[in-house]
Amino acid sequence: MTRLFRKHYHPAGTAPGTLRELSMEQAALHGPARFSLARRDAGRWGQMQEVLSEAIPEASGEAALYWLHVQGMPTAEELERLGDRVGLHPLAQEDILNGGQRPKVERFDESLVVILGIPEVDDEGRLHLYQLTLFMGGNMVASVMTESLDPFAEVRRRLKERGGRALGEPDDLLYGLLDAAVDHAFPVLDGIGERIEELEMEILNRPDSSTLELLHGLKRELIMLRRYLWPTREVINQLLRDHDDLFTADTRMWMRDVYDHTVQVMDLVESYRDMTASLLDVYLSSMSHRLNESMRTLTIIATVFMPLTFIAGVYGMNFEHPTSPFAMPELGWYWGYPVVWGVMLAAAIGMVIWFKRRRWF
Amino acid sequence: MTRLFRKHYHPAGTAPGTLRELSMEQAALHGPARFSLARRDAGRWGQMQEVLSEAIPEASGEAALYWLHVQGMPTAEELERLGDRVGLHPLAQEDILNGGQRPKVERFDESLVVILGIPEVDDEGRLHLYQLTLFMGGNMVASVMTESLDPFAEVRRRLKERGGRALGEPDDLLYGLLDAAVDHAFPVLDGIGERIEELEMEILNRPDSSTLELLHGLKRELIMLRRYLWPTREVINQLLRDHDDLFTADTRMWMRDVYDHTVQVMDLVESYRDMTASLLDVYLSSMSHRLNESMRTLTIIATVFMPLTFIAGVYGMNFEHPTSPFAMPELGWYWGYPVVWGVMLAAAIGMVIWFKRRRWF
Amino acid sequence: MTRLFRKHYHPAGTAPGTLRELSMEQAALHGPARFSLARRDAGRWGQMQEVLSEAIPEASGEAALYWLHVQGMPTAEELERLGDRVGLHPLAQEDILNGGQRPKVERFDESLVVILGIPEVDDEGRLHLYQLTLFMGGNMVASVMTESLDPFAEVRRRLKERGGRALGEPDDLLYGLLDAAVDHAFPVLDGIGERIEELEMEILNRPDSSTLELLHGLKRELIMLRRYLWPTREVINQLLRDHDDLFTADTRMWMRDVYDHTVQVMDLVESYRDMTASLLDVYLSSMSHRLNESMRTLTIIATVFMPLTFIAGVYGMNFEHPTSPFAMPELGWYWGYPVVWGVMLAAAIGMVIWFKRRRWF
Amino acid sequence: MTRLFRKHYHPAGTAPGTLRELSMEQAALHGPARFSLARRDAGRWGQMQEVLSEAIPEASGEAALYWLHVQGMPTAEELERLGDRVGLHPLAQEDILNGGQRPKVERFDESLVVILGIPEVDDEGRLHLYQLTLFMGGNMVASVMTESLDPFAEVRRRLKERGGRALGEPDDLLYGLLDAAVDHAFPVLDGIGERIEELEMEILNRPDSSTLELLHGLKRELIMLRRYLWPTREVINQLLRDHDDLFTADTRMWMRDVYDHTVQVMDLVESYRDMTASLLDVYLSSMSHRLNESMRTLTIIATVFMPLTFIAGVYGMNFEHPTSPFAMPELGWYWGYPVVWGVMLAAAIGMVIWFKRRRWF
Amino acid sequence: MTRLFRKHYHPAGTAPGTLRELSMEQAALHGPARFSLARRDAGRWGQMQEVLSEAIPEASGEAALYWLHVQGMPTAEELERLGDRVGLHPLAQEDILNGGQRPKVERFDESLVVILGIPEVDDEGRLHLYQLTLFMGGNMVASVMTESLDPFAEVRRRLKERGGRALGEPDDLLYGLLDAAVDHAFPVLDGIGERIEELEMEILNRPDSSTLELLHGLKRELIMLRRYLWPTREVINQLLRDHDDLFTADTRMWMRDVYDHTVQVMDLVESYRDMTASLLDVYLSSMSHRLNESMRTLTIIATVFMPLTFIAGVYGMNFEHPTSPFAMPELGWYWGYPVVWGVMLAAAIGMVIWFKRRRWF
């Protein structure tokens, strides 16, 4: 199951901005970083190409626009080089290395660092939240995706196809990446919506013990999603509200669309939480209903047969006395046996009528 | 049952504003768009007439006021034409095509786009939320209803009857459409209120297993309604607060009335949620109460008859020994049988008294 | 039981301000309107007298102060006349006719319309919320109470007794009416408080199935009260905050007292909601406790007697074989019967000790 | 048990500020008012002395500072005299007489009236909330404690001991009284904390039916406390925020400390509410756990012994036919009896193994 | 178990700022205070050295920067000396002595007092919240940790290693200490996260009665943590918002990082609360599920065997009459015994089929 807590925190008191080297196993988990670079020149996007970290150009006032994408976990050394070239602040470098950050925006003078969490369901159906770091400064936009998900395939395709017309300014490009990142939540939520509807069917028709586990798994994922998606909304809002000097009026309008999406995502998460809560209620109520049903069946059976069995038991007793008129004389009556049957039937029918009256079945 | 999630989202990263062509089945679901146009000239409204999308006039400073109503899902091409003529922004076009939008207001310079969700219960009692897009710009007010509901029959009737006096300015007309759209929630909520009251009767008198399903269905609908109606309130509020330059003082006053209606609607939804929660509590409690009742009946019966059956069983044993005085001598006693009955009656009566004392019945 | 939803809404899209004629049965429910008028002149209040609606004076700058009280549901025609004379806005007229409005304040230039809901318990113990409309404009204060409750008996008595000194200005009179209206909630809440305390006793001592219905009834009423009383608080707050130009400093101080009362009322409603929630928990827990008790009694009885009955059953078997030493030789033993009793007693006592150890009783 | 609702409200519509005479029994409950007065002159506090209400000095610009403490319920007449002398507003007089007010601050020009609720546990362990009214105006600070609690013993001791240095200005004295009043909540909360911990032990170890009542009593008290302590925080905040002109910078700093205490008190109340909610969950869960345990014991016993008893019953039947080979030939078999025992043991052991496999014990 | 309430409050009404001497046992609990001092001079940090309280330098405008750390509970006398030397306000001294304060910031002119709670799990797994007081004034930063935890080992190591470059200004040093203090929460939360995951496994696989106690313990700790960590966030926020004049732009940026950590901590606490609530639901539901299972097993067994036992009981009756044809003639039939078996098998199979149809197993 997905881990609840995934931040690699420093020992408390470590100097902040200290770049901790990753342990071997962490490095293995993330894979080494690959750097790819696209350059927009003379109004056209060039091909995205893998580069060595040493070849990253400096963020400057130059006319060309660069998009640097880092896939995988960079080493502390690579991050520092990145810091030198594009002006990524040490705190942001630390956040990339540590992972598991809460979505946030940091403004360092003219550069902007945005950290988001991208939800993704892996092949085994487990939900992951991958940290995406976006940087915008000078003529450089950089994106760092430390884990194996590639969220920008579609964006690259668009740059390739529409070369000249697409995402021609830094703020425009940043918007494009944010939009792609935020929209990743929709298929995940769609999947959760489907699972909720399946569970609903199952619970209303034939709940069993695995249902409960599925329901708990859903709630767990919604708790996690909420923890990451709620601040995402705040991040986009902050961009619009506090850093609007970095965006043109046109881009701001598109950004409001992204903001609407984050609001919609949160609405869905909240509705799904309400739905799972309601499903749990249904589950518990139907359990309670079935318990009642079993109980009644049992009570009816027991109430009908216990007196009968007792009567049969009475006439199975072996009292015998040669002269006593009290030694079970019924056993010797001519009509004894039919009368006992009569009594037993009357008792049974009486019980059944009583239960019917009280609407027990 | 109504789907929880109905947005047709793009693959993440698609250029926003891209107009995706609808698939065949979607087109079939919505039906083709029909365009009708009413023109107000010289202080009178003309007849509403079907037009071809090519015949839509441009939104301009002209004196005549147009109301364009689109019923059904327009094609991407038609939407683009609409964009050209009346100035509908590409983002708004995309929202119309995608559907399932959260209610919102978008201001593009002097034009305004309002998206609302209109609740409607179909013939089979299922709740739907239909997206209504309203546009106001220049001398044009446009309404796009992509699904089969026609929310404006009453408004058209009014225009026809009161021709000269009714809704003579764009802001006035927009208000009239908003008012009609918002008030659509009342009959739906009225219906839900009635269902809650029926359920209440049922739960207090004779809950059965279908009750639970009905209750869950209600909660589900209220969750959905809340998701759409909550932002509706915010939309009207925003119109009043942020875009009051587009409305005359008089229209603002009428708009406050619309706002009051949205607040009232939300109050009702919240009260209904409280009511369904309370009903679930009653259901669970009455289940618990009935279980107790069955349990007590069972316990009383078992506690009374088990010892009796045991005693009867004892004297059904076949111990026999020619000389032993311990081989069930009771069986041979003169008063044996009556004494055993006495013991059994005493045990039974003792039990009953004990239960009475502890108020078990 | 009180209806959840009582607004008579128009078909969506009807022109707002349209005065719908009441149906016969509605008119019968409310009774015809009676108009009474009091006039304050030369510093003294005159007698309150029934007048015809045609005799209502116009709200003007005149020195005399009028209080017009309308009891019962006016016809559309009467309302329009009222609108003409005192300047009651068409929207306010519509709200009076429709009823079931959310408490609110409307300001039309210099006149003010306040709508409140007054809770009242009828003779059969049912809670009603009656709509009161107050109007202040020029030298006229008007109150419209469409239903049978008369909330101002005490105010009229005061005017009569204290003639010259009481409520001499429009804002002062409005305050007096608001104060009387708001304080109507206290006896209702007092009654609910008493019912909660009775229920508490009942639930802690001897809960039965009717308890649940009473508890649900309480919750229902609190939900309704909350829906009306919450906005009442907002109404008084708005008067103090947004319309303070209509009140003298002195009246504002008295109005703050009214505001404090509305806050206190809401505090009580919330506390009562918490109490009923807690009572439901107690009810469910005590049900659960009693179920446990029954269950244990049953388990103990069954666990003690089932093995005994089995043993007795064994020796009631009829195995017999002339030569086999295995054909229930125990039955023929000299000490057979006492030994069996010993075994049975030992089993029973062992069980009882085992239950004691596990603290089952 | 403590009453939920203790306000003596007027009939709705009574003129506010009307001083209602107390009924005999109310007067008996509160006891007559005693007035004590302390005077600070030449930088020293004099002794606190009982005075007649007629001897109360007027609040004036005089250099001497007075502290007037009223213990017990003053008559309407005494209150009016108080109003004349120290300038206590009629509304404040009414609040004192009515009691049960929500904590609040009222500013009348230069004078300030603060109403607080002081929680106190009486000898029988019942929680009470006593209303304290504080007044500051001119050179007079007055405190009115209508019920039997004396909250200021410690303050008086301090004045006596530290005479010259203590609480030398009106705002300073007011602060001292507020501080003493607010800190009264700590021992009460401490007591509740201890009761929660005892209940916790009890519920985790051996819950019984009285536990539930104790838990409900706790919740009830927390609901009451919350109702009074929440506005207390607001009162102190308002003093700091809106009436800071009446306090010196130094006193404001001490007042912030009082504010911190009110926040801490509310934090505790909220934590205790969370704790009691959690304890109820534990109670219900442990009930549910024990029910499961009983149920399993019963099911195991019944499942093991019912088939055995049935088998024994079968061979207790009396079929007999001289020639039929089907008339229970088993009864006559040489190995019949041991075989039946074997079957019974096998059935019992099989059942036990089955239960073990399913982890039933 | 950790105490819920640990403030040593004064009797209400005691003069604030009064330094209460600690009782013997309290002193023993905390241990005597040790004072250590580090001095930064000429751009380098010197060694941290134990000093006597008399040797503490005065906070002045001097160029050297001092860090004074107090470990353990100072006496009232020592605190007063501290107050004299570094300017610690009497209210802050009182807060140190009393302990259990809510996290808060106090500004006294140019000096700042910050009180935080540091969570720590002791060797026996119990959670403690230790109060840390930080003071910044002039060239002095002081930290007072009254209990046995030493939160600054890592900071001291850093000062030693990086001597010249580290934390060279008062605001910088204060930041360093705040950062270390806040980050102490991460390992504690990590531990709680692990316990939640273990509990999850346990509850989903094999819940037993100890599970409940563990779950309650978790909730209790989360309630406590929340009470302290929530205001911690507010404290850092206040520093950034209200006291930003005391921090350089650079330090403010690092402080925002601390703020992000406090937000992240609260997010985790809230998610954990949601998780424990969900786990309780799972526990209760699985209890309910198991109860259902037991109940059904019991009902099936009883329903199958009770009628059989009854039938066997009937033919164990001893009716006999020499001539009556009604004295259990079945017993003498040729096919009697097989027929009875047939009836019994048919009844049993019928029952099983009926249960199968209703999906009971």
Side-chain angles (χ1 to χ4, degrees), chain D residues 242-254:
Chain D
D242 303 340
H243 308 294
D244 59 342
D245 55 313
L246 298 177
F247 298 91
T248 63
D250 203 54
T251 312
R252 278 207 300 276
M253 209 183 58
W254 297 101

Side-chain angles (χ1 to χ4, degrees), chain B residues 121-280:
Chain B
V121 177
D122 69 11
D123 297 342
E124 292 159 47
R126 276 177 313 207
L127 176 69
H128 295 280
L129 277 152
Y130 296 126
Q131 175 176 321
L132 171 70
T133 309
L134 297 175
F135 167 88
M136 175 174 84
N139 61 337
M140 172 70 81
V141 170
S143 49
V144 183
M145 182 75 227
T146 51
E147 276 162 284
S148 59
L149 174 77
D150 173 8
F152 297 135
E154 190 70 24
V155 175
R156 275 197 303 276
R157 209 183 45 74
R158 198 181 347 153
L159 290 192
K160 202 165 157 191
E161 281 177 10
R162 312 222 269 157
R165 286 160 304 148
L167 308 176
E169 296 297 322
D171 63 329
D172 213 18
L173 180 53
L174 183 70
Y175 148 73
L177 301 180
L178 281 172
D179 185 57
V182 164
D183 284 3
H184 248 92
F186 284 115
V188 172
L189 287 172
D190 198 11
I192 290 180
E194 270 168 30
R195 280 161 61 200
I196 288 178
E197 288 181 350
E198 278 164 28
L199 254 178
E200 200 170 24
M201 285 297 162
E202 205 174 310
I203 285 176
L204 287 172
N205 297 323
R206 45 167 80 203
D208 62 27
S209 66
S210 73
T211 312
L212 199 57
E213 205 162 324
L214 289 175
L215 195 54
H216 175 66
L218 263 175
K219 278 174 103 171
R220 203 187 205 284
E221 291 187 5
L222 287 170
I223 290 170
M224 260 180 80
L225 274 177
R226 190 163 176 263
R227 175 139 68 96
Y228 279 87
L229 296 181
W230 190 262
T232 300
R233 180 176 124 159
E234 195 40 38
V235 159
I236 308 293
N237 192 24
Q238 255 174 285
L239 285 176
L240 277 167
R241 199 185 54 211
D242 302 340
H243 308 294
D244 58 343
D245 55 313
L246 298 177
F247 298 91
T248 62
D250 203 55
T251 313
R252 278 206 300 276
M253 208 184 59
W254 296 102
M255 287 288 283
R256 272 209 303 277
D257 192 57
V258 178
Y259 178 70
D260 282 343
H261 287 190
T262 61
V263 173
Q264 216 167 4
V265 162
M266 279 316 301
D267 279 3
L268 272 170
V269 170
E270 293 303 328
S271 294
Y272 288 170
R273 281 168 62 101
D274 285 352
M275 282 298 298
T276 53
S278 177
L279 284 181
L280 184 74

Side-chain angles (χ1 to χ4, degrees), chain C residues 257, chain D residues 90-99 101 104 115 131:
Chain C
D257 192 58
Chain D
L91 268 176
Q93 296 173 29
E94 191 193 353
D95 288 342
I96 289 172
L97 265 187
N98 280 346
Q101 296 298 312
K104 62 177 172 184
I115 294 182
Q131 174 174 323

Side-chain angles (χ1 to χ4, degrees), chain B residues 14-178:
Chain B
T14 315
T18 308
L19 295 185
R20 198 172 39 94
E21 278 301 325
L22 287 174
S23 67
M24 274 302 163
E25 47 183 328
Q26 282 171 338
L29 195 74
H30 292 287
R34 279 171 301 113
F35 295 76
S36 5
L37 191 74
R39 175 186 165 108
R40 183 190 175 93
D41 215 359
R44 289 205 63 79
W45 278 103
Q47 195 72 23
M48 191 132 213
Q49 286 175 318
E50 290 225 3
V51 294
L52 293 177
S53 65
E54 289 81 359
I56 298 166
E58 294 198 14
S60 65
E62 226 194 307
L65 169 63
Y66 290 99
W67 171 26
L68 172 68
H69 181 67
V70 185
Q71 186 79 36
M73 179 60 90
T75 60
E77 192 191 1
E78 286 170 338
L79 271 176
E80 267 165 35
R81 195 171 303 136
L82 211 61
D84 284 354
R85 299 286 161 90
V86 306
L88 193 67
H89 194 273
L91 270 175
Q93 297 174 29
E94 192 193 353
D95 288 342
I96 290 171
L97 265 186
N98 281 345
Q101 296 298 312
R102 199 176 188 265
K104 62 177 172 184
V105 191
E106 291 287 349
R107 172 91 174 253
F108 306 99
D109 300 314
E110 287 307 292
S111 71
L112 205 61
V113 173
V114 182
I115 294 181
L116 294 178
I118 301 188
E120 176 82 0
V121 177
D122 69 11
D123 297 342
E124 292 159 47
R126 276 177 313 207
L127 176 69
H128 295 280
L129 277 152
Y130 296 126
Q131 175 176 321
L132 171 70
T133 309
L134 297 175
F135 167 88
M136 175 174 84
N139 61 337
M140 172 70 81
V141 170
S143 49
V144 183
M145 182 75 227
T146 51
E147 276 162 284
S148 59
L149 174 77
D150 173 8
F152 297 135
E154 190 70 24
V155 175
R156 275 197 303 276
R157 209 183 45 74
R158 198 181 347 153
L159 290 192
K160 202 165 157 191
E161 281 177 10
R162 312 222 269 157
R165 286 160 304 148
L167 308 176
E169 296 297 322
D171 63 329
D172 213 18
L173 180 53
L174 183 70
Y175 148 73
L177 301 180
L178 281 172

Side-chain angles (χ1 to χ4, degrees), chain A residues 158 175 200 267 321 330 359, chain B residues 13 16 102 206 216 220 332:
Chain A
R158 195 177 355 148
Y175 148 74
E200 201 170 22
D267 279 3
H321 189 273
E330 309 93 308
R359 296 184 191 287
Chain B
R102 199 176 188 265
R206 45 167 80 203
H216 175 66
R220 203 187 205 284

